[in-house]
Amino acid sequence: MSEEHMHHPNYLKIWAMLVGLLVVSVAGAMVGIRVVTLITAFGVACVQAYLVAKNCMHIGAARRFVPYLVATALVLMLLFFSGAAPDVMKPAGVNWVKPAWQEAAVEHDVSLHEARH
Amino acid sequence: MAETLTAASSHGEHAHGEMSFWSKYVFSTDHKVVGLQYMFTGIFMGLIGGFMAYAFRMQLAFPGVEVPGYGLVSPVDYNALVTNHGTIMIFWVAMPVLVAAFGNYLIPLMVGADDMVFPRLNRLSYQVFLLSAIVLICSFFVEGGGFGGAWTAYPPLSAQSQYNLTPLGSSLWLVAVGLEFVAFLIGGINFITTAMNSRAPGMKAYDIPMIVWMIVVASIMFMASVGPLLAGAVMLFMDQNIGTAFFDPDRGGDPILWQHLFWFFGHPEVYVVLLPATGLVADIITVFSRKKLFAYRTVLYTVFATGVLSFTVWAHHQFVAGIDPRMAHVFTVTTLLISIPIAEMMFVYIATLYGGSITLTTPMLWALAFIAEFLIGGVTGVFLGASGADIYFHDTYFVLAHFHYTFFPIAIIGFYAGISFWFPKMFGKMMNETLGKIHFWGTVIPFNLIFIPLFVLGASGQHRRIYDFSHFPNLSAPWQQDLRILATSALLVMLAFQSVFLVNFVWSLWKGRKAGKNPWKSNTLEWTAESPPPHGNWSELPTVYRGPYEYGVPGRDSDYWPQNEPN
Amino acid sequence: MPTGRLAVWMVVVSEIVVFGGVLASYIMHRLAHDAWSVQAAHTNMWIGAFNTFVLLTSSLFVAFAHKAAEEGDGVKASNFLWMTVAGGTTFVIVKALEWTSEITAGYTITSSTFWSFYYTAAGLHALHVIAGVVILMIIAMQARKQMELHRVELIGIYWYFVEIVWFFLFPLLYIAK
Amino acid sequence: MIERYLPAASTYAGEVDFLINLILVLVGSCFIVCEVVFFWLIFRFRKKEGVAPEYITGELKSHKRWITIPHMVVLVFDVIIVVFAIKVWYDVKQDLPPADHTVRVVAQQWAWTFAHPGLDGAIDTADDIITVDELHVKVGSLYHFRLESRDVIHSFSVPVFRLKQDAIPGRVITGWFEATMTGTWDIQCTEICGIGHGLMPARIVIETPEQHAAWMAQKSPLSIAAVTAAPSAEE
C-alpha cells in the first residue's frame, strides 16, 4: 500500500453529517421560500462535496498538483458558463432577440397570472 | 508501489520470450509498438485526407470536370469531402501522429522508463482509436453519403436530417469523433502519469526534454477542454436520433450553445497539436545548432501561459456568429494577449540559433521550416483575432490559408521533422539525406504556392465551402480562376513529392546505413538505448545528472554531454 | 504519489468537465426559462432524497473497505465492497422505477427541453453508477483473494466522485423548482 | 490592402480597411524583422571548421533582453490593434445609428428573401416589396436590416460593405449599413448550410434615389394597384 498510512477520520461521523445536511436541504425545500430553498440546497451540496473530497477522497494527501487541477477544472466550467451565458441564457441582447423564447416567457407569465386569480 | 507494479507487469510480458507476430506487433502493450501503430494509422488517414484535398481542389480549379481517380464532384460530394478532410487532418492525422505517436514512442524513452505506467490501457487507447477511424471511414459509404456539415458541425444543419440529408453519415461521424476523444483521454492520462511518476532517478522538472513537457501540457489541456464537447456530442447525438431539442430554437434549445461547447474545446485543441510540434522543434534545433535551448524556463512559462490563455479565447471563432456584440471585446483582448507567449516562444527559438554551429540536415531543415512557416500562420492570425477586421475575413479563404499555415507546419512539417530525426532510433537505420532534401524542397515550396494565392483570394472576398465560384460574379474574374488553378497545380506537385518520402522510408528501412546508438550526438536519454530499443528499452535503467540541452559546454572535449553521463 | 491514484484523479478531472458541460448548459437554460418550473414540479423530491441517502450510505462502506484494505484484510474489504454494490444497485433500481412512473405519466425525453436535460444528466450519472458497480464487483472478487488491494482505494475515489456529482444533480433536478 | 481587390461601398468600409492596413503594417514589420534575423542567423552561424558553438543559457538578464524587448514591442502593437479593433467593432456591430429605412433579410435553404419597405416606408405592411436573391438599396440612406433564418445557420455577407453576420434560426439580429456608391455586387452565404450552399448567391443593387424610386414605383404593390386603377379613372 502507500508508503504512509492514510489518516482515516471517523467515517461514521462524516456520514452522519452528510445525512444531517441532506435533511437540511430537504427541509429547506419544504419551507417554500424560493431564496431559502436555493441557498440551503446549493449551499448544502457545496458543503457535502467539500466534506467528501477532503475526508473521503483525501484530496489533501494527493500531490499538490491534483487539487490545483481539480480547482482549474471547476474554474474552467465557470469560465465556460460566463462566456456562453450572455448568448444562451438571455432572451435578448444588444441588437438581437429570440422571439420564441420571449413568447414562451410571456405565455408563462400569463398562465401564472391566471393561476393566481 | 507504482514503480514495482509497472516493473512487475512488464516483466510478466518479457517472460514470454519469443512472442508470436500477433502479440508482438498487433496486440502489443509495448509503448514503441503502440506509438508506431498510431503513426502508421495516422499516415494512412493522411493519405485519405490528401486524396480528398486533391479531389475538391481539382473541382475548384476545373469546375465540373471529371476528376481522375474520383469522378464528378457533386455539391453533396464536395461538402462531404471538405468536412471529412478537415476532420481527418485534425483528429486522425495531427492528433495521432504528433500527440500519440511521438508521445507514446518518446515519453518513456526520454524520461528513462521501461514502458508506460499502464501498458494495457495504452493498447486499449490505440484500439479505440482504430475503431474510431474505421467508423469514420464507414460513414463515407452509408446511404446518403458522408457528413457534409463542416468539421464544426453546427446545428441545426448537423442535428436534423431533413436539413443535412445524411441521416446516418452525420451520426457515424459524431460517434467516430466521440470515440477518438475517448482514445486520447485514455492515452493522455497515461502520458501525464508516466511523465510524472516514472522519470529516471535524478531527472528533475527542469531536466525534462521540451517535447515531453509539451505533450504533457497538451494532454492536460485536452483533458480539461474535451469534456464539454463530449457532453455536447451526447446532446447532439440525441438531437439527431431521439428527437430531443437541445439545439433546436423552435423547441426551447439554442444552436449557439453548440458553438460554445465546440469552440471551448476547439480552440485549446489547436494548442494541443501545436505544443508537441514546437517541443520537437526545440529538441531538433538544439541538436543541430549544438546550442543550449535559450532560456529553458522562459519557454516553459510561455507554454503554461499559452495553455491557460488558450481557454479564454474560444469565442473569436464566433465573432459574427450571432454572439452578443459586447462579448467580442473581451475575446479580442484575450486573443491578442495569447499572441505574446506564442511570439515569445518563436523569439526563443530564433535566439537559440545565435552563436550556434548549424548543420542543415533534413530534420533541421524541417524544424527551421516549421519556424519560418508558422510565423506566417501566427501573424495572419492577428487579422482574425481583431474583431473589427474579422468582420471581413471571417469564413473567407484568408481564414483557410491562415489555419493551413498553422496546421501544415504543425502536422505535416512537424511530423516530417520528427520522423526524419527519430527514424534512426525507431528502425535502426539512417534515412537518405539526398532524397530527404528533395522531398523537403518539393513539399515546402509548393506548400507556399498553394496557400499564398488563397490569402489573396480570401482578401478579395472569396468565401469558404463553395464548390463552384462561377455563380458569384465578383469571384469569377479570370485572375481569380488563375490563382485557383495555381493553388491546385501546386497541390498536385506537393502530393507527387510525397512519394519521394515513401520511397525514402521503404528504401532506408531496407538498405539504409546502420544508425548506431546516437547518430546525431544528442544528449537526451532515448539515444542511450539500442536502435531500435528492445522491449523494456534498457537492460539497466539510466540515471540522469543534468538537463537535456548541454551542448557546447566550455572546457569539454566533445560538444555534447549526455544526460546520463556521470560528472 | 502512487500512479494509480494519480490516474484516477485524472479520470475525475476529465469527468468534472464532462458533467460540467452538461450542467452548465442545463443551468443556462434553466435560468433562461422560468416556465420550466412547471415541468420541474413533476419530479419527485422524496425519491431523489432517498437516492441521495442510498449513495451516502454506500460510500460509507467504501470508506470502511478502504480502511480494511489498508490493514490488509481483503475479506473484510470485499464484504464492505459488496455492501456498496448493493447500494449502487438499489440506486439504479430506484432510478429505473422513478423513470418508469415519469414516462408512464407522459414525461418522456422529448416532452420538452427540461425533460431532455433531466434524462440526459441523470442518465449520464446513472451510467457512471452502473460502471462503478461493475468495477466494484470485480475489485470485490479480487480483494477476497487478497489480490490488488490498492485498487479498493482507487474505486473509492471514483465512487465518491459519482456521489459528489449526485450532490449537485439532486438540488438541480429535484429541489430547484 | 482590400480596396485593391474590391471597392469599399459603405460608410464603415473605410474604417475596416484602415484597421486591416494598420494590422498589416504592424505585424508585417514584426514578421519581416523576425524572418530576416532568422535567416541571417542561419547563414551567420552555419557550421565552420574549428569554430565551437557558444554556450549561452539565456538565463542572464543581459541575454534575456533580446527576448523581453521584442516581447514589449509585440505587447505595444497588440494594445494599438485592440484599441482600433474595438472601435471598428463598436461602430459596425454594436452601435446602431438611427435608420432611414429598414429591410428584412430572411435566409433559408437555399435562397435569400428580402422584404423592402414600399411607398409607405415601413416593413411588415401590405406594401412591402418582396424579392428573392436581390436586394435593392438607395445610396446615401442608412438602412437597418433584420436578419432571420428559417432553417439552419446561414451568413449574410456583403463583401463590398465589409459586412458579415450569421443568420441564426430562432433569433432576429439587427445590423446596419449605408451605401456610398452605386453598383451591383455579390451577397454571399458564408456559413455552410447544406448541399445547396454553393448555389446561394444573391445580388445587392445599390441605386441612386431616383433609380430606386423608379424601381419602387414599378414593384410596389400599392403603385401597381394605382397603375391598374389609373386607366379606368382616365376613361
Side-chain angles (χ1 to χ4, degrees):
Chain A
M1 270 328 335
S2 46
E3 314 72 41
E4 51 0 315
H5 266 245
M6 224 150 242
H7 167 68
H8 287 287
N10 186 343
Y11 289 120
L12 215 53
K13 207 168 101 190
I14 290 162
W15 175 80
M17 282 160 78
L18 290 172
V19 174
L21 285 166
L22 172 64
V23 172
V24 171
S25 81
V26 172
M30 304 297 287
V31 175
I33 305 166
R34 200 180 149 86
V35 181
V36 175
T37 308
L38 291 182
I39 290 174
T40 52
F42 290 101
V44 160
C46 293
V47 176
Q48 281 177 325
Y50 172 76
L51 278 178
V52 171
K54 181 168 181 291
N55 295 308
C56 303
M57 295 169 96
H58 305 285
I59 194 169
R63 202 184 280 198
R64 200 149 37 115
F65 160 76
V66 167
Y68 284 149
L69 199 59
V70 171
T72 311
L74 294 172
V75 170
L76 286 181
M77 287 304 102
L78 208 63
L79 183 75
F80 172 73
F81 184 89
S82 49
D87 308 309
V88 180
M89 205 172 86
K90 296 276 182 351
V94 171
N95 304 338
W96 59 271
V97 288
K98 296 181 196 166
W101 286 31
Q102 288 182 328
E103 278 160 33
V106 170
E107 272 168 35
H108 175 63
D109 288 345
V110 170
S111 64
L112 270 190
H113 194 71
E114 279 165 2
R116 286 211 189 96
H117 292 280
Chain B
M1 173 215 79
E3 284 73 13
T4 53
L5 255 181
T6 16
S9 60
S10 53
H11 284 309
E13 303 276 345
H14 296 167
H16 294 293
E18 279 299 299
M19 289 184 290
S20 71
F21 171 81
W22 288 97
S23 57
K24 199 167 172 188
Y25 294 110
V26 182
F27 296 108
S28 172
T29 53
D30 184 7
H31 71 98
K32 298 182 288 296
V33 177
V34 175
L36 292 179
Q37 285 173 334
Y38 264 116
M39 195 176 81
F40 288 121
T41 317
I43 294 175
F44 175 71
M45 295 302 278
L47 290 175
I48 296 180
F51 178 73
M52 289 173 161
Y54 155 76
F56 65 70
R57 273 305 327 168
M58 284 299 280
Q59 158 69 21
L60 286 172
F62 313 104
V65 84
E66 190 104 358
V67 178
Y70 186 88
L72 215 57
V73 181
S74 69
V76 187
D77 290 357
Y78 184 85
N79 283 356
L81 285 172
V82 292
T83 302
N84 287 296
H85 169 78
T87 317
I88 287 178
M89 286 304 190
I90 291 171
F91 293 133
W92 279 274
V93 179
M95 290 286 286
V97 167
L98 284 170
V99 184
F102 289 126
N104 268 311
Y105 202 96
L106 296 176
I107 288 180
L109 277 169
M110 283 189 148
V111 301
D114 58 348
D115 204 332
M116 287 283 178
V117 287
F118 303 112
R120 279 181 301 170
L121 268 186
N122 209 16
R123 180 179 61 186
L124 177 69
S125 151
Y126 174 70
Q127 287 165 343
V128 175
F129 171 75
L130 185 65
L131 179 66
S132 76
I134 292 169
V135 172
L136 185 80
I137 292 172
C138 288
S139 82
F140 310 151
F141 302 106
V142 296
E143 204 184 336
F147 177 54
W151 80 286
T152 50
Y154 284 179
L157 181 64
S158 58
Q160 295 179 37
S161 57
Q162 80 261 31
Y163 297 144
N164 59 39
L165 306 176
T166 54
L168 199 50
S170 43
S171 292
L172 284 178
W173 179 90
L174 197 60
V175 169
V177 172
L179 283 174
E180 200 262 4
F181 292 163
V182 172
F184 281 100
L185 273 178
I186 302 172
I189 289 170
N190 229 336
F191 297 155
I192 300 166
T193 39
T194 305
M196 287 186 77
N197 271 16
S198 294
R199 292 202 302 275
M203 185 179 263
K204 294 193 264 320
Y206 295 125
D207 300 334
I208 303 174
M210 240 350 143
I211 184 170
V212 177
W213 262 119
M214 300 265 196
I215 291 177
V216 168
V217 173
S219 301
I220 294 175
M221 284 166 62
F222 183 80
M223 196 173 75
S225 64
V226 79
L229 184 57
L230 267 177
V234 170
M235 286 150 73
L236 185 59
F237 187 80
M238 295 207 296
D239 268 15
Q240 287 174 340
N241 295 298
I242 304 182
T244 55
F246 293 112
F247 305 118
D248 182 353
D250 295 336
R251 294 191 287 148
D254 193 332
I256 299 276
L257 175 61
W258 168 267
Q259 302 185 4
H260 282 293
L261 291 166
F262 184 88
W263 288 116
F264 186 77
F265 161 76
H267 200 83
E269 165 69 12
V270 175
Y271 294 91
V272 168
V273 290
L274 165 67
L275 290 183
T278 53
L280 63 87
V281 166
D283 283 344
I284 292 170
I285 59 172
T286 47
V287 169
F288 293 107
S289 58
R290 315 308 292 169
K291 271 292 304 290
K292 192 179 167 71
L293 183 66
F294 191 90
Y296 180 101
R297 288 172 199 227
T298 310
V299 180
L300 214 48
Y301 300 149
T302 62
V303 174
F304 296 149
T306 314
V308 172
L309 275 174
S310 70
F311 282 95
T312 64
V313 301
W314 78 89
H316 67 220
H317 297 269
Q318 301 165 258
F319 279 152
V320 301
I323 63 167
D324 195 286
R326 287 167 296 183
M327 295 302 288
H329 303 320
V330 181
F331 286 101
T332 298
V333 173
T334 52
T335 304
L336 286 191
L337 266 184
I338 206 171
S339 69
I340 292 169
I342 288 291
E344 185 146 331
M345 198 187 283
M346 291 299 123
F347 294 154
V348 166
Y349 288 176
I350 293 172
T352 301
L353 298 175
Y354 181 88
S357 173
I358 298 170
T359 35
L360 293 177
T361 56
T362 314
M364 183 62 165
L365 282 175
W366 285 113
L368 294 174
F370 172 87
I371 298 173
E373 304 287 5
F374 183 77
L375 272 173
I376 303 181
V379 294
T380 50
V382 178
F383 291 90
L384 307 169
S387 51
D390 185 62
I391 302 171
Y392 183 67
F393 285 128
H394 183 81
D395 263 339
T396 62
Y397 268 61
F398 192 90
V399 177
L400 185 143
H402 153 71
F403 71 71
H404 279 90
Y405 259 104
T406 57
F407 270 111
F408 189 91
I410 292 170
I412 309 299
I413 296 185
F415 163 66
Y416 285 136
I419 188 70
S420 52
F421 185 63
W422 280 290
F423 187 91
K425 185 53 52 184
M426 288 172 173
F427 304 104
K429 301 281 179 71
M430 300 301 286
M431 277 185 117
N432 185 301
E433 278 287 311
T434 319
L435 285 178
K437 279 176 184 153
I438 292 172
H439 173 231
F440 170 79
W441 292 111
T443 304
V444 167
I445 295 172
F447 161 65
N448 288 291
L449 288 177
I450 300 172
F451 290 106
I452 287 174
L454 299 191
F455 272 125
V456 177
L457 286 169
S460 75
Q462 175 172 317
H463 53 309
R464 292 171 65 189
R465 295 164 184 150
I466 300 294
Y467 80 104
D468 182 356
F469 287 99
S470 60
H471 302 290
F472 295 89
N474 292 161
L475 296 176
S476 34
W479 66 270
Q480 287 169 314
Q481 195 57 30
D482 290 347
L483 285 183
R484 284 179 206 124
I485 294 172
L486 170 62
T488 302
S489 320
L491 175 77
L492 295 179
V493 174
M494 189 177 91
L495 288 178
F497 267 100
Q498 303 316 302
S499 59
V500 178
F501 172 74
L502 293 178
V503 168
N504 191 1
F505 195 100
V506 176
W507 189 86
S508 305
L509 270 184
W510 182 42
K511 283 234 157 141
R513 192 156 49 83
K514 275 237 176 298
K517 272 188 180 181
N518 193 355
W520 308 121
K521 296 191 171 54
S522 173
N523 281 347
T524 41
L525 289 178
E526 79 271 28
W527 301 105
T528 63
E530 296 295 327
S531 303
H535 200 145
N537 297 343
W538 290 276
S539 48
E540 196 181 332
L541 291 178
T543 306
V544 168
Y545 297 95
R546 69 189 59 75
Y549 301 117
E550 298 300 320
Y551 294 101
V553 180
R556 280 180 53 82
D557 294 338
S558 66
D559 64 353
Y560 70 114
W561 202 358
Q563 282 188 283
N564 67 332
E565 206 172 279
N567 285 320
Chain C
M1 178 168 162
T3 314
R5 203 194 295 160
L6 186 62
V8 172
W9 274 107
M10 296 295 140
V11 174
V12 167
V13 170
S14 51
E15 296 277 18
I16 287 176
V17 284
V18 173
F19 280 103
V22 178
L23 294 185
S25 308
Y26 169 67
I27 294 169
M28 272 174 225
H29 280 81
R30 184 73 185 77
L31 292 175
H33 299 276
D34 282 339
W36 283 15
S37 56
V38 181
Q39 308 283 336
H42 297 289
T43 59
N44 190 326
M45 183 179 76
W46 295 107
I47 297 183
F50 176 75
N51 258 349
T52 315
F53 178 75
V54 169
L55 269 192
L56 278 180
T57 314
S58 73
S59 47
L60 173 70
F61 293 126
V62 140
F64 287 151
H66 174 200
K67 211 167 153 184
E70 268 199 1
E71 288 154 5
D73 190 344
V75 178
K76 197 170 157 197
S78 172
N79 287 340
F80 280 124
L81 286 182
W82 282 111
M83 289 190 215
T84 315
V85 169
T89 316
T90 315
F91 179 90
V92 175
I93 291 170
V94 171
K95 182 120 273 199
L97 293 175
E98 181 195 10
W99 281 18
T100 311
S101 74
E102 275 154 2
I103 291 168
T104 46
Y107 304 112
T108 64
I109 190 164
T110 51
S111 295
S112 77
T113 313
F114 169 77
W115 290 103
S116 304
F117 271 115
Y118 171 82
Y119 286 110
T120 310
L124 204 59
H125 178 260
L127 279 180
H128 282 79
V129 174
I130 294 169
V133 165
V134 172
I135 303 168
L136 275 167
M137 288 200 281
I138 296 168
I139 292 174
M141 284 188 272
Q142 286 176 329
R144 185 158 296 268
K145 296 180 219 148
Q146 295 289 28
M147 281 160 58
E148 309 279 11
L149 281 182
H150 69 285
R151 289 186 175 169
V152 176
E153 182 203 352
L154 306 185
I155 185 64
I157 295 177
Y158 172 81
W159 194 253
Y160 295 127
F161 167 72
V162 174
E163 183 192 10
I164 289 178
V165 171
W166 184 256
F167 285 156
F168 287 95
L169 281 180
F170 171 58
L172 279 172
L173 297 179
Y174 293 91
I175 295 184
K177 288 189 172 165
Chain D
M1 172 171 83
I2 305 301
E3 313 93 282
R4 290 188 47 197
Y5 307 111
L6 200 63
S10 74
T11 46
Y12 49 64
E15 262 185 274
V16 176
D17 287 352
F18 172 75
L19 174 65
I20 291 170
N21 289 335
L22 176 80
I23 299 174
L24 185 68
V25 170
L26 292 183
V27 304
S29 53
C30 285
F31 170 72
I32 289 168
V33 170
C34 275
E35 295 279 2
V36 166
V37 171
F38 175 72
F39 283 110
W40 179 74
L41 286 176
I42 295 175
F43 176 75
R44 167 73 182 73
F45 294 102
R46 66 193 184 280
K47 185 174 181 164
K48 290 174 206 139
E49 281 311 313
V51 181
E54 291 178 45
Y55 184 77
I56 301 167
T57 61
E59 306 285 351
L60 293 175
K61 227 184 181 135
S62 58
H63 290 156
K64 264 202 180 140
R65 218 171 44 199
W66 291 99
I67 300 297
T68 44
I69 292 173
H71 161 149
M72 295 319 273
V73 173
V74 173
L75 182 64
V76 170
F77 284 2
D78 275 356
V79 170
I80 298 171
I81 294 169
V82 163
V83 168
F84 279 91
I86 286 181
K87 168 84 172 63
V88 171
W89 178 266
Y90 180 83
D91 290 345
V92 178
K93 290 284 181 181
Q94 192 172 334
D95 182 40
L96 279 186
D100 300 325
H101 302 285
T102 303
V103 290
R104 187 178 292 282
V105 179
V106 181
Q108 72 193 78
Q109 282 181 327
W110 292 282
W112 296 95
T113 311
F114 301 102
H116 309 72
L119 291 173
D120 58 0
I123 52 167
D124 298 329
T125 61
D127 185 34
D128 285 0
I129 304 171
I130 312 286
T131 55
V132 175
D133 288 346
E134 203 173 76
L135 174 63
H136 285 256
V137 297
K138 259 189 293 192
V139 72
S141 287
L142 201 148
Y143 281 83
H144 280 187
F145 61 88
R146 294 196 195 289
L147 186 58
E148 295 167 33
S149 168
R150 293 228 177 100
D151 35 46
V152 301
I153 296 178
H154 300 270
S155 186
F156 177 64
S157 166
V158 189
V160 282
F161 286 174
R162 313 290 186 260
L163 171 67
K164 189 172 288 142
Q165 177 62 53
D166 281 14
I168 312 287
R171 274 170 212 229
V172 180
I173 298 170
T174 311
W176 71 282
F177 57 80
E178 183 182 339
T180 54
M181 59 182 277
T182 57
T184 305
W185 306 97
D186 279 346
I187 293 174
Q188 304 169 343
C189 173
T190 51
E191 190 63 65
I192 192 163
C193 56
I195 58 170
H197 173 56
L199 294 166
M200 214 175 143
R203 299 289 277 171
I204 183 162
V205 182
I206 311 168
E207 300 161 320
T208 59
E210 298 77 36
Q211 286 169 330
H212 192 72
W215 174 78
M216 203 146 65
Q218 192 195 341
K219 294 282 173 160
S220 159
L222 273 185
S223 65
I224 291 169
V227 168
T228 44
S232 57
E234 270 171 30
E235 274 170 22

